[in-house]
Amino acid sequence: MPGSVNRPVRRRAFVLGATAAAGTALTGTAHAAGFGWSDDGSAYVVDTGAQLVFKVSKSTGDLTSLVYRGTEYQGYGGMNSHIESGLGASTVSIGQSGSTILVSVTHGTLRHYYAARSGENNVYLWTNKADTSVSATRYIVRVKKGAFLNDEPDSYTYAPTAIEASDVFRKSDGQTRSKHYSKRRVMDYDCIGWSSGGVGLWMVRSNHEKASGGPFYRSLLRHQSADGGGLYEILHYGQNQTEDQRFGLQGPYVIAFTDGGAPFSGLFPGTLTTPWADSLGIAGYVPASGRGKVAGVGISGRNTAYPYTVGLANAAAQYWGSARASDGFFAITGVLPGTYTLTVFKGELAVYTTSVSVSAGGTTTLNTIAIPSSNDPSHASAIWRIGDWSGTPGGFKNADLMTYAHPSDVRAASWTGNVVVGDGETAAFPCYLWKDVNSGILVYFRLTAAQAAAAHTLRIGVTTAYANGRPQVTVNDAWTSAVPSPPTQPNTRSLTNGSYRGNNHTFTYSVPASAWKTDTSQYNVLRIDVVSGSGATGFLSAGTAIDAIDLLT
């Protein structure tokens, strides 16, 4: 059927979630014809007995060959598929346990594993990173030129002109491409790949329990260039990172070949389990029996116009799950034992936190979580509000485009232009402000006589900032705020590489009554400038992403 893996054994050999029958689905799986491994001198050659044969270098642990249905897919610019850009000299071993072949790679303190199951067109991978001796943690499947043609937003196929940092490109039609432009948050996908000519090649992501950045993180997923293509599993990446790196075993993630469709139809992110691996001796492996569950009866005080996500996080692991739209019920399974901070997000804005403890084999059940109205800034009574408090720049000008394009892209509306409250102000207000591009944007609004006679609080919410960009405001050229202190934000590019995700922060300004115009027929004018002593020029000058702006009663 479309999306299934083309193999002669039944599909439940790949278990989905805790409800899958680990016994009958896995025991007694017949060895497919040809299943086994050999040594060609430089590599271990693994035949899955289906239609996939792959090779792992005995000296480096690189994946050097990936042959499906007799066609070689490995080979991007002469490079192998590997952790990072290749580990280099490593100790590599191989073994077989019944229907499973396991290749183990040791490089210093790092352990990496490839597993094959009899009759499956899949390569299962685990990576155990113990420290920072390997800078980042990503696996790259490097696919040879011409195997698949792709010009999706998260690629830079045929985009010859580099416009930023040698990894952002412009096509002749003015559209921009970069390997950074994934468009998707990690919670929005379970696999990424290509399909052509009845063949699909996919990377199925892991549950990211040892990754960093939470459910809303965006990172490299795939790319194409003149040399070929790459599929990524990013376990830790320094770009626009909001959390410290976590260490330990991450996986499984899977390189999967199909007859074209996405693999494992119906797979929900985070439910990928492999009970057949329980006894393989993988360093750091924790079976389902050593994990627990958190379940919440519901969440009250929600704004039903927004999705709600519940996250668990501590220094060792992270998890998340969606709250049910009808009542806020949630369940997060496969959690390592420990004490976690539980956070409820409205959109991407944290509106509630508490602490929960999880034990192996147990379920931590929570009564209905009541979100206090004071925790959601949208509940504050406002004279006017531009956008809404969701932890994202959603609804602002160019907001959606910026998750898969550079700000200079021909499809972007003008970043300049002033705004009148009451005249489509949210759609007219740019999602990003830069010191060197559109600083000094003006917002026009009227006040009643009673409103003009009182002091008011102005709030500007941001989702991230680049180079310490933050807003300083002036009202009617009569009053100017102090320069606020910069909040803690990632110190890498963000606004130009497809991500607005940072640390949500609210700036507040106490505007005295003397700043307002007393003639109610006249517009008051708010000027928002971006200030910082850092940054470069243009779209790499100091900048910030807007969540909401309001003037409170």
Side-chain angles (χ1 to χ4, degrees), residues 415-419 429-430 433-444 471-474 525-531:
W415 288 104
T416 59
N418 300 321
V419 175
F429 198 101
L433 299 177
W434 289 273
K435 184 177 180 180
D436 200 36
V437 175
N438 54 356
S439 181
I441 191 169
L442 303 180
V443 178
Y444 293 86
Q472 183 181 33
V473 300
T474 299
V525 183
L526 167 68
R527 189 176 81 235
I528 304 175
D529 292 295
V530 177
V531 294

Side-chain angles (χ1 to χ4, degrees), residues 303-317:
N303 181 337
T304 56
Y306 291 92
Y308 281 69
T309 302
V310 180
L312 302 176
N314 61 20

Side-chain angles (χ1 to χ4, degrees), residues 138 155 171 176 180 240 292 299 305 346 352 364 376 387 409 450 516 543:
R138 62 181 181 179
S155 72
K171 297 174 62 178
T176 53
H180 297 290
N240 205 39
I299 302 172
K346 167 199 172 187
Y352 180 88
T364 302
D376 184 345
D409 194 288
W516 310 123

